[in-house]
Each structure stands twice: as C-alpha cells, then as structure tokens.
C-alpha cells in the first residue's frame, strides 16, 4: 500500500498544490507509429526487468534511470506498443518487402561511387571543404543522400544525456591551470574573503565563467541566497537551512520515504514538493525538476574531489546532504522568482518569450525565418522547451553550468538575456536548418542538435553572439518588431 502511494506521489489530483500540470509541446514531432514501432518494441523488451528496486547511488545512474515528459518511453508509448502487437501479418510482410526494395535501390549509390572512383582521372580537382563537396554533388546524388539520411535518422530520437562529461566543469578536457586562470582564481578568492564582497565586481568577474573551486560560494551570492557581508553570511546560511527543514517537517509526509532507496530522487522530490506547496499559483510543472540539477551538482562538487558523475552520495554524511538539499532549494527558488510566469496557468511567460524569439529571428536572419514559414514550422514547436527548460535539454550539463555563470552575472539573465542566447543558438545552426527541406526533418534537427561534445569554447562564442544581439536590439525593441 505504501509503495503504491509513493509511486503515485506526483500524480495526484490537479487541484492539489504540487501536482503535475500539463505542458504543451512536451514532445514534438508527435510520434509516428509507422516510424517508431520497432524502436518501441525493442524498448519494451529491454525494460522487462524492474529497475525501481535498484539503488541509484551515483548521479549518472540517477540521470540515466530517470525520464520525464521530454523523454521517449512515457505512458503514451506503452499504448502504441500494445497496439503494434495486434498488427496484421500481411501488413507486416508487405511493409518488410517495401523496406527491402528501398534498401536495394539505395545500394545503387555505393556501387556507382565505387565505379566512378576507379575511373577518376589523375588531374581531377581536389575538394578542400565539405561545403565545396556539397556543391559538387549532382542533384541525383543529393536526393539519394537525403533519402538515406532520413531513413537512418527518423526511427530513433536520441536523447542528450543529462550528465555528459561533467567531471571538469571549469574547462573542457581538464588541462593544467594556466597563469591567467590562476590569476582569476586568486582574484575571486580575494573578493569572496573580503568583509563585504563587492557584488558588482563579482558579477563582472563571473561573466566569462567561474572557476570550479569557488563556484558554490559564488553562486550562493549571485543568486541572492546569501548577503555580501561575510559575518551575516554564516548566520543566514544556518538559518535558511533550518527554515527549509522546518518546511519538510511541517508539510512533507515522511511516509512517502518508506520505500525510497534512491537518495537523489528523494532529495529532488522533497525540493519540488516544498516549492510547489509554497507557490500554489503554479504548483509543480514538468521541467522545473531540471532547474534543480545544476545547483545540486555545483553544491555537491564542494564536497567531492573526484568525478561527480559517478560519485556515490551515500558515502556523504547526513549533515552534508541536508546542506546540499537546502542550498539547492533556496537557489532554485530565487531563480524561479524571476521567471514564475513561465509556470503559472497557460504559461504566459513562455508564450511571450517564444513570440519575441520569432520576431527577433525574423529581423536578424530573414532567410531562416522564411524557411520555417515555408515548411509550416511554428516556433512554439521547438522553442517552448528551450524556454521551459532554459536549454538544459539541448546542452550537456557542463555547458549549462557554464551558461548559468553568465546568467547569474547578467541583470535578468534567466528572464531576459536567455532570449538572445536562444536566438544566437538557433542561428548557429542556420546551415543545417536550410539544408532540411521538410517539416519532420526540421523538427528532428531542432530537437536533436549535435551539442554533445560542446565545451567552454562553444558556450563562450554563443554568449558573445547573444551579447551582441542584446546590445543591438534590447534598447531598441522596435528593431525586431514588424
């Protein structure tokens, strides 16, 4: 009985604070049974063993075993799977024959390429770039290539891991610190150790990134969670942690923890529950759970010298875990205070931001904007998630943490500057966007952008372009209005 109540913890009546609210645009494009049936069958076979009894002691396991509205494999997919089992055998055979026929046609290209290679003249032109190679292809080759690419990419929708190479959150790779990095770290330490930290100077230093060693303290100050005065800081930290666990005792039913073997899930559940209770106008909305993750990982890194990705949190003392949980709650609350209209009824904040993004892109890159209109792609179909999750589902976690260094240094970083980051992020992929020539191909691209290997360099360039756009358009809004 207790297990059932625990499983249904977040699926209570929508009238109660803390219950899940429906979110538009959680999964685009809609799953096509004809394209996803094999994938779902294999998934249902692979998931026959129960995983809930397995203790997820590392953050990597927690992220891998946790899915939400943005992941494939929710309840809707299970309905598809059951319907596929009753598929008519004649239809299945006909479909298989069609696939074999298409595959045999596609084999023509490698054979033609091999024969062309053997007949290549010795004085042929050397192609120096991929773009030049693209232009040199014949229209027939392009059609075959596009058909092959789409047949390979459509059935599967890869999900960017929430945790991907987060062991080094200060630089890509983990090279030894340079003289410049050591100088910056020393400057941060001087600012943080002063009796009254100069927050304006701290924001200025944090904009290009915060060193990993001082990021937890810096984030507590930049978020507004702790005051600048060093003496008051310690007292406030202790008082706020006690206040949070006072909420736990008052509102949270400890019986929900009876069957909890997952420390991460238990912590996140309590954080989200208390926030929903304290903000009944919005309650819990899918996507807010993502916003806890960067704070949790940063504050965890304060107590962990090894890789956070595979660290077993059960080895930490209960006091340390309580401190990480409370600090994550208060910093997330400060963040959401500035963007709460994103999560109230009908989510008007997100609707306005998506509309502003559309108007901005129409001014800075009319060709991309018209390309979307030509194939009837609505900005809400891909940018909703960008606004709802602050690009966390589009970027590796290490990049999100670096991005938030700048967001917390910018005035209204999460609510205002994020718009220009999204615009710069979209235009970054203009070539790939213009190469796609159908609705489904565009949405597949926009929801699976290849950022898995991004690091600080790419985020730095993205932020620089976003700042340029803000400088040009923020103080002159009519520039991006029709």
């Amino acid at each position: 009985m207790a297990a059932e109540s625990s499983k249904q913890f977040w699926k209570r009546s929508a009238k109660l604070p803390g219950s899940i609210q429906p979110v538009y645009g959680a999964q685009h494009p809609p799953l096509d049974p004809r394209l996803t049936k094999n994938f779902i069958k294999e998934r249902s076979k692979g998931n026959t063993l129960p995983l809930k009894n397995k203790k997820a002691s590392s953050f990597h396991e927690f992220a891998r075993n946790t899915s939400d509205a943005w992941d494939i494999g929710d309840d809707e997919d299970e309905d598809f799977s059951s319907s596929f089992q009753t598929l008519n055998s004649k239809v299945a055979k006909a479909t298989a024959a069609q696939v074999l026929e298409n595959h045999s046609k596609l084999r023509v290209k490698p054979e033609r390429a091999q024969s062309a290679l053997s007949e290549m003249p010795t004085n042929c032109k050397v192609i120096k770039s991929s773009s030049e190679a693209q232009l040199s292809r014949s229209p027939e080759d392009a059609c075959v290539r596009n058909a092959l690419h789409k047949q390979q990419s459509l059935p599967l929708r890869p999900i960017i891991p929430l945790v991907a190479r987060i062991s080094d959150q200060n630089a890509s790779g983990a090279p030894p610190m340079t003289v410049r990095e050591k100088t910056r770290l020393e400057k941060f330490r001087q600012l943080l150790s002063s009796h009254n930290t100069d927050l304006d100077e701290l924001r200025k230093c944090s904009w290009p990134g915060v060193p990993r060693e001082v990021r937890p303290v810096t984030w507590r100050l930049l978020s507004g969670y702790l005051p600048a005065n060093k003496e008051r800081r310690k007292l406030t930290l202790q008082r706020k942690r006690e206040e949070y666990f006072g909420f736990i005792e008052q509102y949270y039913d400890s019986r929900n923890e009876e069957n909890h073997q997952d420390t991460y899930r238990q912590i996140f559940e309590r954080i989200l529950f208390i926030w929903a209770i304290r903000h009944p106008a919005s309650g819990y909305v899918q996507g807010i759970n993502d916003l806890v993750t960067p704070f949790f990982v940063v504050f965890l890194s304060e107590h962990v010298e090894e890789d956070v990705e595979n660290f077993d949190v059960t080895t930490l003392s209960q006091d340390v875990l309580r401190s990480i949980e409370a600090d994550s709650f208060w910093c997330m609350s400060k963040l959401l205070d500035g963007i709460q209209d994103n999560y109230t009824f009908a989510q008007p904040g997100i609707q306005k931001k998506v509309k502003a993004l559309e108007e901005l892109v129409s001014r800075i890159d009319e060709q991309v904007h018209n390309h979307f209109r030509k194939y009837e792609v609505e900005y809400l179909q891909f940018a909703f998630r960008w606004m709802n999750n602050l690009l966390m589902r589009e970027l590796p976690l290490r990049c999100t943490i670096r991005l938030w260094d700048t967001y917390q240094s910018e005035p209204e970083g999460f609510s205002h500057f994020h718009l220009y980051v999204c615009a710069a992020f979209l235009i970054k992929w203009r070539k790939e966007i213009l190469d796609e020539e159908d609705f489904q191909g565009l949405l597949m691209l926009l929801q699976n952008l290849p950022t898995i290997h991004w690091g600080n360099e790419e985020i730095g360039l993205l932020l620089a372009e976003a700042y340029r756009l803000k400088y040009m358009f923020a103080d002159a809004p009519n520039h991006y209005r029709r």
Side-chain angles (χ1 to χ4, degrees):
M1 189 69 181
E4 293 179 0
S5 62
S6 177
K7 291 178 182 177
Q8 299 297 326
F9 181 73
W10 292 107
K11 295 187 178 181
R12 296 177 180 174
S13 171
K15 298 180 180 179
L16 296 178
S19 59
I20 292 180
Q21 303 296 323
V23 176
Y24 173 79
Q27 197 174 54
H28 285 281
L31 290 177
D32 187 344
R34 295 171 298 177
L35 297 176
T36 57
K37 62 182 180 180
N38 294 330
F39 171 74
I40 295 173
K41 281 185 177 180
E42 292 174 2
R43 185 182 180 93
S44 62
K45 290 179 182 178
N47 292 339
T48 54
L49 295 177
L51 296 177
K52 293 200 172 182
N53 292 330
K54 182 179 179 182
K55 183 175 181 180
S57 59
S58 71
F59 193 85
H60 178 72
E61 293 177 7
F62 165 74
R64 185 180 59 199
N65 294 334
T66 302
S67 60
D68 56 24
W70 311 112
D71 296 334
I72 291 179
D74 285 338
D75 296 337
E76 293 83 359
D77 296 343
E78 295 174 3
D79 296 337
F80 282 134
S81 180
S82 61
S83 64
F84 296 150
Q85 294 175 359
T86 61
L87 187 66
N88 188 290
S89 59
K90 293 183 179 179
V91 176
K93 290 180 180 179
T95 303
Q98 184 64 39
V99 171
L100 292 174
E101 182 181 354
N102 292 340
H103 181 69
S104 62
K105 290 180 181 179
L106 291 174
R107 290 177 61 87
V108 175
K109 181 186 174 183
E111 294 171 359
R112 184 171 66 251
Q114 184 65 28
S115 61
L117 185 64
S118 61
E119 299 172 2
M120 185 181 295
T122 56
N123 60 345
C124 64
K125 179 181 177 183
V126 177
I127 297 177
K128 298 180 179 179
S129 66
S130 59
S131 59
E132 189 176 351
Q134 179 72 19
L135 293 173
S136 65
R137 287 192 179 100
S138 66
E140 184 180 355
D141 286 346
C143 292
V144 176
R145 179 181 59 84
N146 288 339
L148 178 60
H149 171 73
K150 289 185 178 180
Q151 281 206 6
Q152 291 174 344
S153 62
L154 284 180
L156 295 178
R157 179 187 173 206
I159 300 297
I160 294 178
L162 193 60
V163 180
R165 276 181 22 194
I166 64 172
S167 56
D168 179 19
Q169 300 158 11
N170 188 41
S172 298
M177 290 183 67
T178 63
V179 175
R180 181 175 178 274
E181 290 171 341
K182 291 180 180 178
T183 303
R184 291 189 70 243
L185 178 58
E186 185 59 30
K187 186 170 184 178
F188 269 94
R189 283 175 172 162
Q190 290 177 1
L191 282 169
L192 297 172
S193 62
S194 60
H195 182 70
N196 284 294
T197 302
D198 186 342
L199 293 181
D200 290 334
E201 186 64 23
L202 185 63
R203 291 188 184 95
K204 182 179 178 182
C205 293
S206 301
W207 206 101
V210 180
R212 183 180 188 273
E213 294 81 358
V214 294
R215 184 176 275 131
V217 179
T218 303
W219 276 27
R220 291 188 186 103
L221 292 172
L222 293 179
S223 66
Y225 170 36
L226 295 182
N229 183 274
K230 191 174 182 179
E231 294 180 358
R232 290 181 54 206
R233 199 181 303 165
K234 294 180 179 179
L235 296 174
T236 302
L237 193 62
Q238 181 179 357
R239 178 175 58 83
K240 298 296 281 186
R241 287 172 177 173
E242 292 175 353
E243 183 179 355
Y244 169 73
F245 282 99
F247 295 148
I248 294 292
E249 294 177 2
Q250 182 177 358
Y251 298 114
Y252 190 75
D253 189 349
S254 60
R255 288 177 297 178
N256 291 313
E257 300 179 4
E258 290 179 1
N259 295 284
H260 262 303
Q261 294 182 339
D262 188 334
T263 305
Y264 284 112
R265 192 183 301 275
Q266 175 184 335
I267 291 175
F268 277 50
E269 186 177 279
R270 291 196 303 205
I271 289 173
L272 297 170
F273 178 81
I274 296 301
W275 189 88
I277 288 292
R278 287 170 52 83
H279 299 81
S282 59
Y284 173 74
V285 177
Q286 289 171 339
I288 295 180
N289 58 305
D290 279 358
L291 307 185
V292 183
T293 306
F295 292 116
F296 185 86
V297 171
V298 167
F299 296 140
L300 178 62
S301 68
E302 193 174 21
H303 306 278
V304 178
E305 294 182 0
E306 56 191 277
D307 290 353
V308 178
E309 180 177 351
N310 297 306
F311 182 76
D312 183 358
V313 293
T314 59
T315 60
L316 294 175
S317 67
Q318 194 65 26
D319 289 341
V320 169
L321 285 174
R322 287 167 63 92
S323 300
I324 294 171
E325 179 179 346
D327 292 353
S328 299
F329 169 79
W330 287 115
C331 287
M332 183 204 71
S333 297
K334 289 290 185 181
L335 185 161
L336 290 174
D337 285 347
I339 57 172
Q340 191 170 355
D341 61 342
N342 286 8
Y343 305 106
T344 53
F345 177 74
Q347 300 181 269
I350 292 180
Q351 305 281 349
K352 293 176 183 176
K353 289 181 177 68
V354 171
K355 184 63 178 176
L357 176 65
E358 180 177 358
E359 294 173 346
L360 181 58
V361 172
S362 70
R363 292 303 184 187
I364 63 180
D365 198 324
E366 189 174 4
Q367 187 178 4
V368 168
H369 178 70
N370 289 337
H371 193 69
F372 286 151
R373 295 183 65 182
K374 178 180 178 181
Y375 295 104
E376 300 181 346
V377 174
E378 299 291 339
Y379 284 75
L380 198 65
Q381 292 168 332
F382 64 89
F384 181 94
R385 190 172 74 182
W386 295 10
M387 302 300 178
N388 191 69
N389 298 72
L390 299 176
L391 288 176
M392 280 198 63
R393 291 287 170 162
E394 278 50 60
L395 298 170
L397 183 56
R398 63 182 181 278
C399 294
T400 298
I401 290 173
R402 167 63 191 91
L403 189 66
W404 284 22
D405 287 343
T406 301
Y407 278 6
Q408 295 185 90
S409 307
E410 273 280 326
E412 299 180 325
F414 292 98
S415 60
H416 185 63
F417 187 61
H418 180 66
L419 168 66
Y420 299 97
V421 172
C422 288
F425 185 66
L426 181 63
I427 301 306
K428 161 77 177 173
W429 309 101
R430 76 180 308 275
K431 182 182 181 302
E432 291 81 358
I433 290 171
L434 295 176
D435 285 346
E436 294 291 342
E437 296 183 348
D438 62 74
F439 173 83
Q440 191 165 10
L442 281 166
L443 284 186
M444 291 288 290
L445 169 68
L446 291 168
Q447 294 199 337
N448 299 281
L449 292 167
T451 62
I452 190 64
H453 298 296
W454 274 30
N456 280 5
E457 182 179 355
E458 290 81 3
I459 294 298
L461 293 173
L462 179 68
L463 288 168
E465 177 63 15
Y467 185 81
R468 184 186 71 84
L469 294 175
K470 178 190 173 187
Y471 183 81
M472 292 176 60
F473 294 98
D475 296 327
N478 289 332
H479 286 183
Y480 64 85
R481 287 179 182 167
R482 292 187 177 277

